[in-house]
Amino acid sequence: MTNKDYYEEFETELEEDKDFIESFSSKKRYQSDGYIEDLTYTEAEVKKFYFYPLTTLTGRELKEGIRLAKEKTTIMCTTPDKGTSLTLYLTEEDSTFDLNEFMDPANYSEQLMKNSKNMAAMFKCDEEFNIDKLYVITEEALTNDNFDAVTKYINKTISFDSTDGRYYINFVPIEEFTSLFDARPLILVNSEPISDKIKEISIETPAGALVGQIKPVNKDGRFPKLYAKEGTQVFPKLTFPFQTQPVLSLIDYWNSDQIIPLNDILNFIKSKGKKYNDSFSLADFLKLGKPSEKPVLRVDSGEKIRFYSKGIREDGSYSMNGVWIPKNEPYEEWIEFTKGSKIGYKVASGNPGAARLLNKIIDDIYQVEVTPKEYTNYSAAFEVLLSMLTESFWKDNEFEGAIKTVDKDGQIIEEIDDKTIYVRSQKYAGQDRYSVTTNLWLAWKKVNQDLVINNQSIIKRIESVMAMLSGQLKCNYSINKGDNDDYKILLPYYFELQNPIENPNRNWVEYKDIIVKLKSSYFDITASEIKPKLTPISENIVHKLEYNHYAFPELTKTIESASIPSSMPLDQQLANGEYSKYQLKSFSNNKDDIEKIKNQYGSGEITFNPLTNIYIINKGNFEFKEVEAIKELIISSFYGSGKWKITLMTEANIEITLNLNLFNKFDTNNSFVNLIL
């Protein structure tokens, strides 16, 4: 029997036998031959699907393919009005569980068992169908309301058979579009493509996230700077990842009790009737222990004594030009004593107007003492800090003036010139200078143990001030022991000394007070407020220091761990230490949240926990100096898993809002994502 005879017989059977039961197997015999589709496919195999063409958010077609990597995600867009409905005849539909995905390309022993679904179909189309496009395919028509909820598929292959005029398609659920490794190659959004340049970007992160950078990439592959707009404040955070497995664990160093709370400093300045950018004394800020005795200024030897004197004349006298100056007349004049000056007098008996008889001639001046009329009642602990600063100064000057060289009988010998300076020089001779200075404080603490135990907060404050004075104080509590100015970037704020010792005469001098100004590399400090400096959130700035330049490393795909820094500031050093330091950010345009972030500095919560930081949601508005054609957006974050709301404002003031689930909640080391727009 020929094929033609067989078909004619089969058609006759269909007409005559009304009780013919459709057989699935018999239909399958004719599907591939294109026999009447309605008779050769079951009802479940004939379905209406909706096709929506996809482009990237900036309107690019994907003929060149999609860039795939664990950290790369392409933002695709379409809108419900672009849909085309087609009737598909399913030729294959299978669903299997299989080990088909590596969780980590570097760990081949860890795979994911997942349900892999694959569908194949054929269809006809009255109009020419573009097989070069990528489509999102749904069984339910998309609307603005159901866009995110409807099950979606993506075509893997589409081909056209010109012999029978049919299209053949393979498609899979959008979640199955890649099986390379743990990645999100596509994110689909309901949006028209962006045709304009971007002028602003607004960001809202999941609660508890710390942000590294929001780094735009323009059409030329360059990185335009993105600045916080007025009202948005960006706060720096110095972090140390000390553990990366099984989960990320983080030290938030500037939250530790090694940092004096910012509000403690500001409230103290206000209590003194000062402005935030005024100079002030640290004496009352560091008050601990018994008050000091009234200070006496001593100079072992001097060349001249000069002072300004005010008083009244004991008796009348003639001036140099012959004018009589009566008794008890007020006077103001400079009085000066040097070698050869005459002092003391007698008044001739019975002759008050007679010339004074001067009877003492100065040959040398030494052991000069001056006791002030008014003085600050310093505490014992503050006195120790004064001594540490004083000895740091003299050591820096190599105790100049301690000895002098003299010629005795043609032989040059050394003699003690200033006993006080000499005694200090001998204490430091052959010793570690930092330890000697530090021991002044440690010895005081040992003698005053009860005071120390009962006043831990003020003890910690004094030791933190030593770090903040690293520019003048060289000891083991100073950043890098005070040898450079790295403290300016390793501390959120520091003290700049306003009353440095100046000693042109090489005589013993010492600090009588510590007058400072609050300074910062990260905050602008004005008379009435302190707020973060305007720096780009798109990059880490390069800090220009006295001895070098430094920029904190940006977050990348690989997080480097570090040893936990101890409580000693010297462990935060840049020049000699290789701790992995990441300077992350919190930002907000909400006044209450801004205050909460400020209060975190020095709060004592050194281990960062996103659960305890849950009340902080980074929310801010950022702008470019000039509009930019943005093609990518690189985002780095610690604990950034969750919904990110990213709003792009175009040059034409059109807002495109993206609600994106970024990062992996099961992988806290996933800190870097590259959004292809």
Side-chain angles (χ1 to χ4, degrees):
M1 178 182 292
T2 66
N3 285 340
K4 181 178 180 181
D5 295 335
Y6 186 87
Y7 292 148
E8 291 176 351
E9 180 181 342
F10 182 65
E11 288 177 337
T12 302
E13 290 176 355
L14 289 177
E15 292 175 358
E16 295 178 351
D17 190 352
K18 303 299 182 182
D19 297 327
F20 175 75
I21 300 175
E22 295 179 334
S23 167
F24 179 81
S25 59
S26 64
K27 286 184 176 183
K28 288 296 182 183
R29 293 166 53 193
Y30 298 98
Q31 285 180 0
S32 60
D33 293 330
Y35 204 73
I36 305 173
E37 284 86 356
D38 292 338
L39 297 178
T40 58
Y41 288 85
T42 66
E43 182 178 350
E45 293 174 323
V46 182
K47 295 182 180 181
K48 179 182 284 189
F49 284 85
Y50 297 85
F51 284 66
Y52 299 87
L54 295 176
T55 67
T56 68
L57 192 59
T58 53
R60 288 190 299 111
E61 301 284 353
L62 293 181
K63 294 180 180 180
E64 70 274 20
I66 298 176
R67 294 160 58 187
L68 295 180
K70 184 175 182 178
E71 73 281 355
K72 291 186 184 296
T73 295
T74 300
I75 307 297
M76 308 295 295
C77 69
T78 191
T79 53
D81 61 331
K82 292 185 174 66
T84 299
S85 63
L86 294 171
T87 299
L88 267 62
Y89 299 90
L90 300 180
T91 59
E92 181 181 347
E93 182 176 8
D94 61 60
S95 178
T96 59
F97 280 92
D98 195 9
L99 293 172
N100 65 348
E101 182 171 335
F102 289 113
M103 293 295 291
D104 183 349
N107 182 8
Y108 296 106
S109 64
E110 184 177 4
Q111 292 179 280
L112 176 67
M113 176 178 281
K114 57 190 291 187
N115 185 8
S116 299
K117 190 173 184 179
N118 187 71
M119 303 170 72
M122 64 80 101
F123 64 92
K124 289 185 176 181
C125 186
D126 295 334
E127 299 179 0
E128 184 176 355
F129 189 84
N130 191 336
I131 64 175
D132 293 327
K133 287 183 176 290
L134 187 66
Y135 296 89
V136 62
I137 306 166
T138 64
E139 293 186 64
E140 180 182 348
L142 292 177
T143 66
N144 291 331
D145 294 331
N146 71 4
F147 191 91
D148 293 327
V150 170
T151 300
K152 301 176 183 66
Y153 303 88
I154 293 288
N155 55 289
K156 292 177 68 176
T157 61
I158 302 178
S159 61
F160 176 69
D161 189 340
S162 59
T163 60
D164 59 11
R166 295 175 180 176
Y167 294 88
Y168 295 87
I169 183 172
N170 283 85
F171 56 104
V172 296
I174 192 170
E175 296 82 6
E176 301 293 325
F177 193 58
T178 179
S179 294
L180 297 178
F181 50 87
D182 184 21
R184 292 194 67 194
L186 296 179
I187 292 180
L188 181 62
V189 296
N190 181 6
S191 173
E192 292 286 349
I194 299 173
S195 57
D196 291 335
K197 293 182 177 181
I198 304 299
K199 66 177 183 179
E200 297 177 13
I201 300 178
S202 297
I203 303 287
E204 183 175 332
T205 75
L210 289 175
V211 177
Q213 285 78 38
I214 309 294
K215 185 185 290 292
V217 184
N218 66 17
K219 62 183 179 63
D220 299 320
R222 302 186 182 278
F223 306 100
K225 294 181 179 181
L226 190 62
Y227 292 91
K229 289 189 66 178
E230 182 69 27
T232 296
Q233 296 189 20
V234 182
F235 293 84
K237 297 275 192 177
L238 184 60
T239 62
F240 297 79
F242 64 90
Q243 174 180 292
T244 59
Q245 295 294 336
V247 295
L248 178 67
S249 297
L250 204 63
I251 291 294
D252 192 347
Y253 177 62
W254 287 347
N255 279 18
S256 73
D257 57 9
Q258 300 300 315
I259 304 298
I260 300 175
L262 182 59
N263 281 335
D264 285 5
I265 300 174
L266 300 183
N267 290 337
F268 175 78
I269 295 174
K270 287 193 294 185
S271 73
K272 295 298 181 181
K274 301 273 190 177
K275 298 176 181 178
Y276 292 155
N277 57 358
D278 284 343
S279 58
F280 61 96
S281 170
L282 289 174
D284 288 342
F285 191 60
L286 306 177
K287 186 173 290 187
L288 178 63
K290 296 180 180 180
S292 61
E293 297 179 355
K294 200 168 188 177
V296 176
L297 177 62
R298 295 181 176 87
V299 178
D300 285 351
S301 61
E303 185 176 288
K304 176 174 65 175
I305 297 176
R306 187 170 185 262
F307 59 91
Y308 196 71
S309 174
K310 295 167 52 175
I312 60 173
R313 299 184 181 275
E314 185 178 13
D315 57 326
S317 63
Y318 285 100
S319 67
M320 296 294 293
N321 57 7
V323 177
W324 174 255
I325 301 175
K327 180 180 180 180
N328 297 329
E329 185 76 8
Y331 79 92
E332 295 186 19
E333 64 183 34
W334 282 100
I335 297 176
E336 184 175 291
F337 295 113
T338 61
K339 184 176 181 180
S341 295
K342 299 178 180 181
I343 60 174
Y345 68 92
K346 289 182 180 180
V347 178
S349 176
N351 186 9
R356 299 186 179 100
L357 303 177
L358 302 175
N359 60 0
K360 294 179 181 176
I361 301 176
I362 297 175
D363 185 56
D364 199 2
I365 299 173
Y366 61 97
Q367 293 186 358
V368 179
E369 294 186 358
V370 179
T371 302
K373 183 165 56 177
E374 297 178 356
Y375 76 103
T376 304
N377 191 8
Y378 299 140
S379 67
F382 187 70
E383 288 279 2
V384 177
L385 188 54
L386 289 172
S387 297
M388 295 173 70
L389 273 172
T390 298
E391 294 193 6
S392 286
F393 164 79
W394 281 106
K395 176 59 179 174
D396 285 343
N397 286 273
E398 296 299 334
F399 299 101
E400 185 179 3
I403 59 175
K404 62 183 178 180
T405 57
V406 296
D407 186 344
K408 283 192 176 182
D409 301 328
Q411 188 174 6
I412 304 298
I413 63 172
E414 292 183 344
E415 291 183 350
I416 296 176
D417 189 20
D418 188 300
K419 184 177 180 181
T420 306
I421 302 175
Y422 179 78
V423 170
R424 298 302 197 286
S425 69
Q426 293 305 295
K427 183 169 71 169
Y428 282 82
Q431 303 297 317
D432 177 72
R433 64 167 299 177
Y434 313 102
S435 297
V436 174
T437 305
T438 305
N439 283 341
L440 291 172
W441 174 245
L442 298 180
W444 184 88
K445 287 172 64 176
K446 190 171 183 179
V447 172
N448 298 274
Q449 291 187 24
D450 290 342
L451 197 63
V452 171
I453 292 172
N454 295 325
N455 295 275
Q456 280 296 301
S457 60
I458 190 66
I459 291 293
K460 190 63 68 177
R461 175 184 289 184
I462 293 171
E463 292 172 351
S464 297
V465 165
M466 293 179 190
M468 294 177 71
L469 288 171
S470 293
Q472 284 75 34
L473 179 61
K474 294 189 176 179
C475 71
N476 290 338
Y477 288 94
S478 302
I479 302 293
N480 278 353
K481 299 184 177 182
D483 282 337
N484 56 40
D485 59 345
D486 288 348
Y487 64 92
K488 292 180 179 179
I489 62 173
L490 285 174
L491 296 175
Y493 32 83
Y494 58 91
F495 289 137
E496 183 178 85
L497 196 65
Q498 301 298 300
N499 62 327
I501 289 178
E502 295 180 359
N503 184 35
N505 295 323
R506 297 172 53 188
N507 297 318
W508 173 259
V509 289
E510 57 189 340
Y511 279 95
K512 296 300 181 182
D513 199 355
I514 305 175
I515 309 297
V516 298
K517 276 188 177 182
L518 183 62
K519 296 285 186 176
S520 176
S521 298
Y522 305 103
F523 295 95
D524 285 322
I525 302 172
T526 65
S528 58
E529 68 174 340
I530 173 171
K531 63 179 182 180
K533 291 182 178 181
L534 183 62
T535 57
I537 196 172
S538 52
E539 64 183 23
N540 285 346
I541 63 173
V542 178
H543 296 276
K544 297 180 180 180
L545 301 173
E546 183 178 353
Y547 297 101
N548 58 15
H549 291 177
Y550 186 81
F552 288 97
E554 295 184 0
L555 284 182
T556 62
K557 294 179 288 184
T558 303
I559 301 174
E560 298 178 1
S561 62
S563 301
I564 302 178
S566 76
S567 61
M568 296 296 286
L570 62 92
D571 286 327
Q572 319 311 329
Q573 56 190 318
L574 291 176
N576 301 325
E578 286 299 326
Y579 292 116
S580 300
K581 305 174 184 71
Y582 294 104
Q583 196 174 83
L584 303 186
K585 305 169 184 70
S586 290
F587 56 84
S588 182
N589 54 16
N590 178 277
K591 290 184 177 179
D592 291 338
D593 281 349
I594 286 173
E595 287 304 311
K596 290 176 182 176
I597 298 173
K598 282 184 179 179
N599 290 336
Q600 289 182 339
Y601 291 98
S603 63
E605 299 175 0
I606 188 169
T607 302
F608 183 83
N609 186 339
L611 295 178
T612 59
N613 202 45
I614 200 70
Y615 50 81
I616 297 295
I617 296 177
N618 298 292
K619 187 176 182 180
N621 305 314
F622 304 89
E623 63 185 353
F624 298 104
K625 295 297 184 183
E626 297 179 357
V627 293
E628 294 282 351
I630 300 303
K631 297 299 182 181
E632 299 181 28
L633 194 62
I634 299 172
I635 299 175
S636 56
S637 172
F638 282 150
Y639 307 108
S641 172
K643 180 166 287 187
W644 289 64
K645 183 178 180 181
I646 302 174
T647 302
L648 308 174
M649 175 71 76
T650 70
E651 190 177 12
N653 292 323
I654 297 174
E655 287 189 357
I656 296 93
T657 298
L658 310 175
N659 291 299
L660 309 176
N661 282 309
L662 300 181
F663 304 104
N664 186 342
K665 65 182 179 180
F666 300 110
D667 182 6
T668 55
N669 290 301
N670 183 7
S671 59
F672 181 90
V673 63
N674 186 357
L675 301 178
I676 313 297
L677 304 183

